[in-house]
Every structure is written in structure tokens, then in C-alpha cells.
Amino acid sequence: MEQLIEKLASTHDLTDDELRCLIEDGSCDDLLFQKAEALRQQIYGKDVYVRGLIEISNYCKNNCYYCGIRRDNRQVDRYRLTPEQILECCAEGYDLGFRTFVLQGGEDPYFTDDLLCALLKTIKSRYPDCAVTLSLGERSRDSYQRLYDAGADRYLLRHETASPAHYNKLHPQELSLENRQRCLFQLKEIGYQVGSGFMVGSPYQTTDCLIADLRFLQQLQPAMIGIGPFLTHQDTPFREFENGNTQLVLRMIAILRLLFPYALLPSTTALGTADPLGREKGIKAGANVVMPNLSPVSVRKKYELYDNKICTGDEAAECRMCLSRRMESIGYKIVVDRGDVKSPERTKTPS
Ligand code: 5AD
Ligand code: FES
């Protein structure tokens, strides 16, 4: 095991069989996390980047079996923020030191290209020093292009699982891995800094699924990779399944750091929900981004992708301060900066 970890840390790759050993055997996690943290330290130091997450709509036309805001969940109190409310979140976020705003939502046809383009232009003109990230699911290539031309810098779209059979166990048949992956490559081609990722411990996931996830990411080479545990939501078809394992999430974060030295790796809200110190542990396993919530408190509870989501009662300022404290408690520091991905050739953003 020690040799495998050494090999991964020095060559940034392993064979499938070696990855399988590492994923399934937690006996050397401490060494693995140490190596990942050292590599992150080399490239990003003790800096942790923040992204202000604005949950703009919990309407969704999709019906993913794991997700709390799926179309068929009648228990959800649906909302969408107005452009004015979104701009208010940005203003508050800017004052709190955020230089990246992430507009995330379900796939809600109300947010047309015209509406979003106007909004993007306003945000970018008011905050030219900020990056805007969209996380609004699958759209057409033309739509992605228009949003990019209106000023969007980045796009987050997790591939969820890179195994086609597994994808079909998590999603109804109108959704396909093929289309998901096509969207990701289109986003990249257009020029977005792309974020992808997957859930750990989702129903029917095997080690082979996780290896396929890593191989797909090696193909895509995204700027950001977001992972977190699958967490049960009581009003979904997956209500009887158990939560994903936190330790396995941490192990996967460390493996990702060693495979993708320069990647932006968030320590996610789902990880913080599964374990009260989950986000701190994620950073110590090699992550370097946190994404506190900037949504108005009035809608927080309604954007519940899984049960018991943290921070649903807290004001943006509280989350910001809470995370600063948490990062400082483990020797890290949140920076006021767009937090662009670094690359071996240059330290500024790819245009
Ligand atoms: N548990 C954990 N993560 C979830 N997501 C959606 N539903 C759940 C759940 N029940 C994740 C998906 C999605 C991201 C926004 O949240 O990976 O891409
Ligand atoms: Fe929201 Fe701690 S990050 S309360």
C-alpha cells in the first residue's frame, strides 16, 4: 500500500487494479491524506478559495431518483428568486469578500437565455473583478454559448457517474450519460472553466464505477472536481438507501488531489452534513475550496437536495464567518480572490 501511494504521489497515475486496491483499503488513509495535503500545499499553500452559492430556483423538470427537488416531489415548496433578489445576494456577497458567485438551480425553464444574459451582464458590469459560475444543468450548446458571451466564466455540471449502466439506475430514461458528457465537452470547447464531479456511495455504485469516474475526469480535465457523499432524502425513491461513507469520500478527495495536482477541489456541504467536521477533514485530505451559501434565509430550507442539510438557518455573514473560523482552526485561510485554477504553465486564468 505504501508503495502504491508513493507511486501515485510521484507519477499522478495508477493502473485500474492499483486504484481498486487503494479505493477499497483504508488502512493507509493517514499516509494518503498526508501526501495529498503536501501536494496541495506545494501548489496552493494554505489558501482556501470561497465561492458564494446562490440557489436561484428549486423548480426542476428532471426526476433524478436521488434528488430532493426532483419534479415528482410534491412536498417541496417551490420558489424562484427574482433578478433583483439575486443581485441583492451578490451585493451582500461582495461586501463579505466573495469574488465568485455561483448561480445554481434545478433545470427551470423560467430561466431563459434572455433573462440570464441580462442578469449576467448586470452582475459583470457591477462586479468586473468577480467570476460568475453557472450551475443550471443540461442546456443546448447554443444556450451555453450565449451565456458565455454574456459573461459567464465557469460552469458546474457533475457527471454524477461515468458508468452508463449505473447512470441509468440513478436517472429516469429520458436522461443519459451520453448527453451529460456531451454537455461537458461542449462547455469546455466554448471556453468555460468547467467543474464536474460525482456522488460517493450512491445506490448501486461499485468500485468499478469510481474507477470509471476517475478515468472520465482524466479525459475531461476539468478545472474543478466536486464530490460528496450520497445522502438520503426521505421523499425520493431512494429513501431506503444508506448515506455514503464519509471516510471513502475523504479517500477519494485525496486520490483526486494526487491524480489532479492543480484541480480545484471543494470540501462540500454534503460532506459537512454527513460529519460535523467533514469540511475541515476534506481540506486536510487535499481539498482547497469551500462554497458557503449566499441564498436568502427565507428560501434556504427549500433547496433540500438531501435530508438535514446544514446552514439552512444561517445568514450569509454567519456562514462566511463560521467557515473562516473553521479554516483558521486547522491552519488555513480563506482568501478574497476569484480563486482561478492554477496550471503548470501559467498562474493566471485560462481565458
Ligand atoms: N445526496 C448527495 N448529493 C446530492 N446531489 C443531489 N442529490 C443529492 C443527494 N441526495 C448532488 C448532485 C448534484 C449536486 C448539485 O448535488 O451530485 O449534481
Ligand atoms: Fe454555514 Fe457554518 S458554514 S453556519
Side-chain angles (χ1 to χ4, degrees):
M1 282 294 282
E2 278 95 349
Q3 271 176 343
L4 278 188
I5 294 172
E6 291 294 342
K7 181 181 172 192
L8 175 60
S10 55
T11 68
H12 310 298
D13 204 4
L14 287 178
T15 65
D16 285 4
D17 286 337
E18 291 169 334
L19 281 173
R20 185 171 297 108
C21 281
L22 204 54
I23 292 171
E24 291 180 351
D25 181 348
S27 64
C28 288
D29 279 354
D30 288 346
L31 176 66
L32 179 68
F33 298 171
Q34 257 171 44
K35 293 280 178 192
E37 188 173 30
L39 181 57
R40 194 273 330 279
Q41 162 80 33
Q42 246 181 57
I43 297 169
Y44 288 103
K46 294 286 188 187
D47 288 353
V48 174
Y49 297 145
V50 270
R51 277 76 167 101
L53 189 63
I54 308 173
E55 295 153 338
I56 67 171
S57 170
N58 70 353
Y59 282 86
C60 191
K61 65 177 159 74
N62 292 333
N63 226 355
C64 309
Y65 302 139
Y66 48 85
C67 184
I69 63 168
R70 63 198 302 272
R71 177 180 74 221
D72 282 355
N73 184 3
R74 291 287 123 82
Q75 307 303 317
V76 181
D77 186 4
R78 304 283 171 176
Y79 75 90
R80 40 177 78 100
L81 300 184
T82 63
E84 292 69 33
Q85 283 178 302
I86 296 169
L87 289 166
E88 244 168 73
C89 293
C90 294
E92 187 179 3
Y94 192 87
D95 288 339
L96 291 170
F98 291 96
R99 295 297 176 266
T100 294
F101 304 119
V102 183
L103 275 42
Q104 185 172 82
E107 291 193 16
D108 179 359
Y110 169 86
F111 284 91
T112 58
D113 293 345
D114 285 342
L115 186 157
L116 288 168
C117 286
L119 180 62
L120 282 163
K121 284 179 186 154
T122 309
I123 297 176
K124 293 296 284 194
S125 69
R126 288 191 192 171
Y127 311 103
D129 53 334
C130 291
V132 180
T133 304
L134 299 178
S135 180
L136 302 171
E138 298 178 21
R139 301 175 76 97
S140 69
R141 192 198 157 98
D142 180 59
S143 167
Y144 289 147
Q145 183 72 56
R146 289 189 57 195
L147 299 171
Y148 184 77
D149 294 339
D153 303 277
R154 308 180 181 143
Y155 205 101
L156 303 182
L157 184 72
R158 290 189 179 177
H159 66 277
E160 310 297 358
T161 174
S163 149
H166 186 220
Y167 196 92
N168 293 335
K169 290 191 167 137
L170 303 183
H171 303 95
Q173 59 163 11
E174 60 268 21
L175 294 172
S176 74
L177 177 60
E178 198 193 348
N179 199 54
R180 194 89 176 164
Q181 295 185 338
R182 177 168 46 234
C183 288
L184 283 162
F185 286 109
Q186 286 174 348
L187 288 162
K188 234 194 138 173
E189 247 175 53
I190 291 170
Y192 284 94
Q193 296 171 38
V194 170
S196 195
F198 54 91
M199 287 177 289
V200 174
S202 56
Y204 312 108
Q205 184 177 62
T206 62
T207 304
D208 283 325
C209 297
L210 291 170
I211 295 170
D213 289 324
L214 300 175
R215 296 303 180 210
F216 170 68
L217 292 166
Q218 286 180 320
Q219 252 189 297
L220 180 68
Q221 289 294 325
M224 179 183 273
I225 303 167
I227 69 169
F230 160 77
L231 298 173
T232 313
H233 190 293
Q234 58 186 348
D235 302 313
T236 64
F238 285 169
R239 65 178 62 84
E240 307 288 348
F241 286 92
E242 281 184 26
N243 287 349
N245 180 289
T246 310
Q247 194 63 23
L248 180 57
V249 177
L250 298 173
R251 197 176 309 139
M252 293 306 297
I253 289 177
I255 293 172
L256 285 168
R257 171 57 64 204
L258 295 169
L259 287 175
F260 303 93
Y262 289 87
L264 297 165
L265 301 179
S267 199
T268 55
T269 304
L271 188 53
T273 298
D275 177 330
L277 292 177
R279 286 169 300 176
E280 289 88 330
K281 291 177 184 172
I283 297 290
K284 289 206 271 188
N288 64 334
V289 178
V290 288
M291 303 178 62
N293 205 312
L294 270 183
S295 310
V297 176
S298 58
V299 305
R300 293 254 181 135
K301 189 83 193 117
K302 301 176 185 173
Y303 200 87
E304 259 209 324
L305 308 182
Y306 41 78
D307 292 336
N308 307 313
K309 191 179 156 201
I310 53 170
C311 299
T312 54
D314 302 280
E315 292 286 352
E318 295 176 72
C319 283
R320 176 66 179 75
M321 296 315 145
C322 169
L323 273 172
S324 278
R325 264 198 316 275
R326 285 170 181 268
M327 295 301 112
E328 277 161 26
S329 77
I330 53 170
Y332 288 77
K333 181 170 105 286
I334 286 183
V335 295
V336 176
D337 182 288
R338 280 170 49 120
D340 284 299
V341 68
K342 295 191 182 186
S343 73
E345 310 87 57
R346 46 188 166 182
T347 50
K348 277 311 257 183
T349 170
S351 57

